[in-house]
Every structure is written in C-alpha cells, then in structure tokens.
Amino acid sequence: MRSYSDISVDTPSQGVQLIRLNRPEAHNALRTALLGELADALTEAEQDDQVRVIVLTGSEKVFAAGADIKEMAELNPVDIWKDKRPQHWNGIKAFQKPIITAVNGYCLGGGMELALCADIIIAGENAQFGQPEINLGIIPGAGGTQRLIRSVGKSLAMKLILSGEFINAREALAACLVAEVTQPELTLKRATELATTIASKSPVAVRIAKEAILAAYETPLSQGLELERKAFLFLASTEDRQEGIQAFMEKRVPQFKGQ
Ligand code: CAA
C-alpha cells in the first residue's frame, strides 16, 4: 500500500476499509494532492478483494470545508484547465464498491460534492451542509449543480447554491440528502456497522445494485428497467445466488464469495 499524507487509510477489517481525510490545519480542504491520494486509495481498494465497502470520514468537527481556497487563489485559468482535479474526481466517481460517508461538522463546497459522490451519508447531529461557492463569486465545480438537484430537488438545491446558506443534519434528513442522523460520537460507529452489514452480502450483487441505482440518474425509466432486468438475469447465474437461496432453505447464514 502506498503512503499517504492528506488522508489515512486503514487495513480492511470484516470487508470494511476506513479512509479518513486528514488535513486538520485546513479543515480538510480538498487540495489537488488530497483528491489524488483519495483517487489512488480507491483504485487500490477496487483491486483488493479484502475491501468490500469503504467508510469515508473526516474529523469530529469537520468532514471537509471544500476545495482549498488558498490553493485555488494561486491558479490562473490555464492552470485550472491543466489541473488534475477533474481526473481525480473521475477516479473517485468510477469506484464500483459502496462508499458510506460519516459526516460530522462542516460538509461544504467540494466536501459536500464528495459526500454526494459517495453512496450513503450518515450525519452526526452537528453536521452542517452547504455550497458556499457563491460567496467566492464562483459556483460548485465538482458536480454540485447536477447531483444536488437530483438528491434534494430544485427548490432546496437553488436555495443552497444561490444563497450559500447552510442546512443542519435534521434538515438534510428531511430533504433525503442523508440516510440517518446520529449523535456525533456515534456517526463513525453507525457508518461502520452499516458498512459491515453491506460487506456481508454478495459483493457481485452489491456492485450490480450500485451500478443499477446510479444508472437511474442517467436513463429514462424504460431503459433503466431494461438494465435492471438484464442485471437481474445475470445474477441468476452466480454461485452467490445459489448460496443465498440454499442458506435460506437450510436456515443458516449465507457465505458469499463474490462468485
Ligand atoms: N480552503 C483552505 N483553507 C481553509 C478552508 C478552505 N476551503 N476552510 C477553512 N480553511 C482554513 C482557514 O483558512 C483556517 O486556516 P488558518 O488558521 O491558517 O487561518 C483554518 O482552516 C480554520 O478555518 P476558520 O478559522 O475559518 O474556522 P471557523 O471554524 O471559524 O470557520 C468555516 C469554519 C465556516 C468552514 C470557514 O473556514 C469557511 O467558511 N471555510 C470556507 C468554506 C468554503 O467557502 N468552501 C467552498 C470552497 S470552494 C469549492 O469547494 C469549489 C468546488 O466545489 C470545486
């Protein structure tokens, strides 16, 4: 495993790997190097059969306060054009196993876009979500204008992006931005527990379920249903399906091998 400075990557346990954003001096601001490390860690995790689910978190006070504004300030338009950020974001987006984000404190700008890029958000009661780019005279640049509207609808997406105001964890839950709200000290525990549950399922079925759900963003209903049907038929040929059905009949816990 390569060494990292802006993130920490734990050894997988029970199929779950913890990745922590680790720039406390900058509220975990997502400088280009951090995004590169995250994309690399996910590429490694994709190849590692010991990893079935990722839990991504920050600190107890901050998930991530957005792109690194100090780094951004140094870049001219050509630097931005040449910057590797879009490539790193593409690497993060392409990850095929589930990512659960455990969010405490600020989850802003690019930090919120990172959480939106992941699959499930578990938020601590102290979480604050926002797209404050408008305060800097810019707009979200890592998918916020497109993903947020699909997640919370037009009115709230417009409010967040046009005003820069934050919403708290309860408001985020009501808007379906997050799946659950916990006490801040339990956020990581709950995310890990959920990840462990998902890691015990068939990795083939989990991966195909994620792919099918994400396809709903891109496809009309009829095409999405067709894709689901083909995916369902494909899963009929797996050993994991046989094992799942057999274990049900024999009243035992299935042992999925990802075959
Ligand atoms: N980039 C770089 N440094 C940041 C940062 C960021 N996004 N957010 C915080 N920091 C740094 C601060 O400069 C400060 O460093 P110094 O001690 O060296 O001054 C340190 O982290 C602590 O921050 P604060 O003193 O500001 O902490 P606070 O608790 O008073 O406020 C905050 C917290 C409300 C999150 C505030 O830091 C803040 O507003 N940060 C910026 C949030 C923002 O605008 N994010 C959007 C960035 S643009 C973007 O993300 C574009 C994109 O999608 C591609």
PDB file of all heavy atoms in Angstrom, residues 96-115:
ATOM      1  N   GLN A  96     -16.377   1.304  -7.876  1.00  0.00           N
ATOM      2  CA  GLN A  96     -17.582   0.487  -8.066  1.00  0.00           C
ATOM      3  C   GLN A  96     -18.138  -0.135  -6.794  1.00  0.00           C
ATOM      4  O   GLN A  96     -19.231  -0.688  -6.801  1.00  0.00           O
ATOM      5  CB  GLN A  96     -17.276  -0.603  -9.095  1.00  0.00           C
ATOM      6  CG  GLN A  96     -17.061   0.012 -10.474  1.00  0.00           C
ATOM      7  CD  GLN A  96     -16.718  -1.021 -11.521  1.00  0.00           C
ATOM      8  OE1 GLN A  96     -16.050  -1.999 -11.230  1.00  0.00           O
ATOM      9  NE2 GLN A  96     -17.173  -0.795 -12.725  1.00  0.00           N
ATOM     10  N   LYS A  97     -17.351  -0.102  -5.703  1.00  0.00           N
ATOM     11  CA  LYS A  97     -17.869  -0.659  -4.444  1.00  0.00           C
ATOM     12  C   LYS A  97     -18.561   0.481  -3.674  1.00  0.00           C
ATOM     13  O   LYS A  97     -18.296   1.652  -3.941  1.00  0.00           O
ATOM     14  CB  LYS A  97     -16.710  -1.237  -3.634  1.00  0.00           C
ATOM     15  CG  LYS A  97     -15.992  -2.369  -4.370  1.00  0.00           C
ATOM     16  CD  LYS A  97     -14.734  -2.838  -3.645  1.00  0.00           C
ATOM     17  CE  LYS A  97     -13.984  -3.867  -4.480  1.00  0.00           C
ATOM     18  NZ  LYS A  97     -12.731  -4.331  -3.846  1.00  0.00           N
ATOM     19  N   PRO A  98     -19.408   0.145  -2.702  1.00  0.00           N
ATOM     20  CA  PRO A  98     -20.105   1.220  -1.996  1.00  0.00           C
ATOM     21  C   PRO A  98     -19.181   2.073  -1.112  1.00  0.00           C
ATOM     22  O   PRO A  98     -18.241   1.547  -0.523  1.00  0.00           O
ATOM     23  CB  PRO A  98     -21.114   0.473  -1.112  1.00  0.00           C
ATOM     24  CG  PRO A  98     -21.178  -0.907  -1.646  1.00  0.00           C
ATOM     25  CD  PRO A  98     -19.873  -1.188  -2.297  1.00  0.00           C
ATOM     26  N   ILE A  99     -19.490   3.363  -1.064  1.00  0.00           N
ATOM     27  CA  ILE A  99     -18.795   4.286  -0.148  1.00  0.00           C
ATOM     28  C   ILE A  99     -19.844   4.891   0.782  1.00  0.00           C
ATOM     29  O   ILE A  99     -20.829   5.478   0.320  1.00  0.00           O
ATOM     30  CB  ILE A  99     -18.098   5.449  -0.888  1.00  0.00           C
ATOM     31  CG1 ILE A  99     -17.132   4.922  -1.948  1.00  0.00           C
ATOM     32  CG2 ILE A  99     -17.374   6.356   0.115  1.00  0.00           C
ATOM     33  CD1 ILE A  99     -16.416   6.022  -2.740  1.00  0.00           C
ATOM     34  N   ILE A 100     -19.623   4.722   2.082  1.00  0.00           N
ATOM     35  CA  ILE A 100     -20.507   5.362   3.070  1.00  0.00           C
ATOM     36  C   ILE A 100     -19.724   6.520   3.678  1.00  0.00           C
ATOM     37  O   ILE A 100     -18.589   6.330   4.131  1.00  0.00           O
ATOM     38  CB  ILE A 100     -20.907   4.365   4.173  1.00  0.00           C
ATOM     39  CG1 ILE A 100     -21.617   3.166   3.540  1.00  0.00           C
ATOM     40  CG2 ILE A 100     -21.783   5.042   5.223  1.00  0.00           C
ATOM     41  CD1 ILE A 100     -22.073   2.125   4.539  1.00  0.00           C
ATOM     42  N   THR A 101     -20.308   7.713   3.670  1.00  0.00           N
ATOM     43  CA  THR A 101     -19.609   8.831   4.307  1.00  0.00           C
ATOM     44  C   THR A 101     -20.196   9.059   5.689  1.00  0.00           C
ATOM     45  O   THR A 101     -21.423   9.112   5.865  1.00  0.00           O
ATOM     46  CB  THR A 101     -19.725  10.139   3.494  1.00  0.00           C
ATOM     47  OG1 THR A 101     -21.067  10.288   3.071  1.00  0.00           O
ATOM     48  CG2 THR A 101     -18.832  10.147   2.299  1.00  0.00           C
ATOM     49  N   ALA A 102     -19.304   9.181   6.663  1.00  0.00           N
ATOM     50  CA  ALA A 102     -19.688   9.518   8.038  1.00  0.00           C
ATOM     51  C   ALA A 102     -19.329  10.980   8.221  1.00  0.00           C
ATOM     52  O   ALA A 102     -18.149  11.337   8.256  1.00  0.00           O
ATOM     53  CB  ALA A 102     -18.918   8.632   9.009  1.00  0.00           C
ATOM     54  N   VAL A 103     -20.359  11.828   8.312  1.00  0.00           N
ATOM     55  CA  VAL A 103     -20.134  13.281   8.283  1.00  0.00           C
ATOM     56  C   VAL A 103     -20.426  13.911   9.641  1.00  0.00           C
ATOM     57  O   VAL A 103     -21.567  13.873  10.115  1.00  0.00           O
ATOM     58  CB  VAL A 103     -21.038  13.948   7.215  1.00  0.00           C
ATOM     59  CG1 VAL A 103     -20.932  15.469   7.291  1.00  0.00           C
ATOM     60  CG2 VAL A 103     -20.686  13.459   5.820  1.00  0.00           C
ATOM     61  N   ASN A 104     -19.397  14.490  10.247  1.00  0.00           N
ATOM     62  CA  ASN A 104     -19.586  15.340  11.414  1.00  0.00           C
ATOM     63  C   ASN A 104     -19.121  16.748  11.068  1.00  0.00           C
ATOM     64  O   ASN A 104     -18.145  16.913  10.333  1.00  0.00           O
ATOM     65  CB  ASN A 104     -18.765  14.830  12.608  1.00  0.00           C
ATOM     66  CG  ASN A 104     -19.494  13.732  13.368  1.00  0.00           C
ATOM     67  OD1 ASN A 104     -20.718  13.630  13.308  1.00  0.00           O
ATOM     68  ND2 ASN A 104     -18.749  12.914  14.079  1.00  0.00           N
ATOM     69  N   GLY A 105     -19.802  17.748  11.570  1.00  0.00           N
ATOM     70  CA  GLY A 105     -19.367  19.138  11.378  1.00  0.00           C
ATOM     71  C   GLY A 105     -19.571  19.615   9.946  1.00  0.00           C
ATOM     72  O   GLY A 105     -20.468  19.175   9.236  1.00  0.00           O
ATOM     73  N   TYR A 106     -18.655  20.531   9.530  1.00  0.00           N
ATOM     74  CA  TYR A 106     -18.819  21.173   8.222  1.00  0.00           C
ATOM     75  C   TYR A 106     -18.635  20.199   7.058  1.00  0.00           C
ATOM     76  O   TYR A 106     -17.675  19.442   7.017  1.00  0.00           O
ATOM     77  CB  TYR A 106     -17.815  22.311   8.046  1.00  0.00           C
ATOM     78  CG  TYR A 106     -18.029  23.464   8.991  1.00  0.00           C
ATOM     79  CD1 TYR A 106     -17.100  23.755   9.987  1.00  0.00           C
ATOM     80  CD2 TYR A 106     -19.163  24.256   8.892  1.00  0.00           C
ATOM     81  CE1 TYR A 106     -17.303  24.821  10.855  1.00  0.00           C
ATOM     82  CE2 TYR A 106     -19.377  25.316   9.760  1.00  0.00           C
ATOM     83  CZ  TYR A 106     -18.441  25.597  10.744  1.00  0.00           C
ATOM     84  OH  TYR A 106     -18.653  26.636  11.598  1.00  0.00           O
ATOM     85  N   CYS A 107     -19.579  20.249   6.139  1.00  0.00           N
ATOM     86  CA  CYS A 107     -19.502  19.466   4.904  1.00  0.00           C
ATOM     87  C   CYS A 107     -19.886  20.458   3.805  1.00  0.00           C
ATOM     88  O   CYS A 107     -21.065  20.640   3.488  1.00  0.00           O
ATOM     89  CB  CYS A 107     -20.489  18.293   4.989  1.00  0.00           C
ATOM     90  SG  CYS A 107     -20.471  17.222   3.552  1.00  0.00           S
ATOM     91  N   LEU A 108     -18.875  21.149   3.273  1.00  0.00           N
ATOM     92  CA  LEU A 108     -19.141  22.340   2.456  1.00  0.00           C
ATOM     93  C   LEU A 108     -18.481  22.269   1.082  1.00  0.00           C
ATOM     94  O   LEU A 108     -17.408  21.666   0.938  1.00  0.00           O
ATOM     95  CB  LEU A 108     -18.597  23.583   3.174  1.00  0.00           C
ATOM     96  CG  LEU A 108     -19.085  23.814   4.607  1.00  0.00           C
ATOM     97  CD1 LEU A 108     -18.366  25.026   5.206  1.00  0.00           C
ATOM     98  CD2 LEU A 108     -20.600  24.004   4.642  1.00  0.00           C
ATOM     99  N   GLY A 109     -19.099  22.937   0.117  1.00  0.00           N
ATOM    100  CA  GLY A 109     -18.498  23.076  -1.208  1.00  0.00           C
ATOM    101  C   GLY A 109     -18.087  21.729  -1.774  1.00  0.00           C
ATOM    102  O   GLY A 109     -18.888  20.777  -1.842  1.00  0.00           O
ATOM    103  N   GLY A 110     -16.801  21.619  -2.157  1.00  0.00           N
ATOM    104  CA  GLY A 110     -16.294  20.354  -2.688  1.00  0.00           C
ATOM    105  C   GLY A 110     -16.450  19.205  -1.697  1.00  0.00           C
ATOM    106  O   GLY A 110     -16.551  18.044  -2.097  1.00  0.00           O
ATOM    107  N   GLY A 111     -16.486  19.522  -0.394  1.00  0.00           N
ATOM    108  CA  GLY A 111     -16.697  18.484   0.629  1.00  0.00           C
ATOM    109  C   GLY A 111     -18.089  17.890   0.504  1.00  0.00           C
ATOM    110  O   GLY A 111     -18.287  16.669   0.606  1.00  0.00           O
ATOM    111  N   MET A 112     -19.068  18.766   0.251  1.00  0.00           N
ATOM    112  CA  MET A 112     -20.436  18.270   0.057  1.00  0.00           C
ATOM    113  C   MET A 112     -20.529  17.516  -1.272  1.00  0.00           C
ATOM    114  O   MET A 112     -21.219  16.491  -1.371  1.00  0.00           O
ATOM    115  CB  MET A 112     -21.405  19.453   0.073  1.00  0.00           C
ATOM    116  CG  MET A 112     -22.819  19.082  -0.231  1.00  0.00           C
ATOM    117  SD  MET A 112     -23.919  19.920   0.883  1.00  0.00           S
ATOM    118  CE  MET A 112     -25.420  19.948  -0.063  1.00  0.00           C
ATOM    119  N   GLU A 113     -19.815  17.996  -2.267  1.00  0.00           N
ATOM    120  CA  GLU A 113     -19.826  17.287  -3.563  1.00  0.00           C
ATOM    121  C   GLU A 113     -19.194  15.900  -3.427  1.00  0.00           C
ATOM    122  O   GLU A 113     -19.631  14.945  -4.070  1.00  0.00           O
ATOM    123  CB  GLU A 113     -19.103  18.136  -4.617  1.00  0.00           C
ATOM    124  CG  GLU A 113     -19.908  19.389  -4.955  1.00  0.00           C
ATOM    125  CD  GLU A 113     -19.128  20.392  -5.767  1.00  0.00           C
ATOM    126  OE1 GLU A 113     -18.105  20.898  -5.262  1.00  0.00           O
ATOM    127  OE2 GLU A 113     -19.521  20.669  -6.906  1.00  0.00           O
ATOM    128  N   LEU A 114     -18.185  15.804  -2.549  1.00  0.00           N
ATOM    129  CA  LEU A 114     -17.573  14.494  -2.307  1.00  0.00           C
ATOM    130  C   LEU A 114     -18.579  13.567  -1.617  1.00  0.00           C
ATOM    131  O   LEU A 114     -18.732  12.399  -2.001  1.00  0.00           O
ATOM    132  CB  LEU A 114     -16.318  14.671  -1.435  1.00  0.00           C
ATOM    133  CG  LEU A 114     -15.552  13.411  -1.072  1.00  0.00           C
ATOM    134  CD1 LEU A 114     -15.111  12.654  -2.326  1.00  0.00           C
ATOM    135  CD2 LEU A 114     -14.333  13.752  -0.207  1.00  0.00           C
ATOM    136  N   ALA A 115     -19.289  14.099  -0.632  1.00  0.00           N
ATOM    137  CA  ALA A 115     -20.297  13.279   0.060  1.00  0.00           C
ATOM    138  C   ALA A 115     -21.401  12.861  -0.924  1.00  0.00           C
ATOM    139  O   ALA A 115     -21.898  11.726  -0.881  1.00  0.00           O
ATOM    140  CB  ALA A 115     -20.879  14.046   1.240  1.00  0.00           C
TER     141      ALA A 115
END
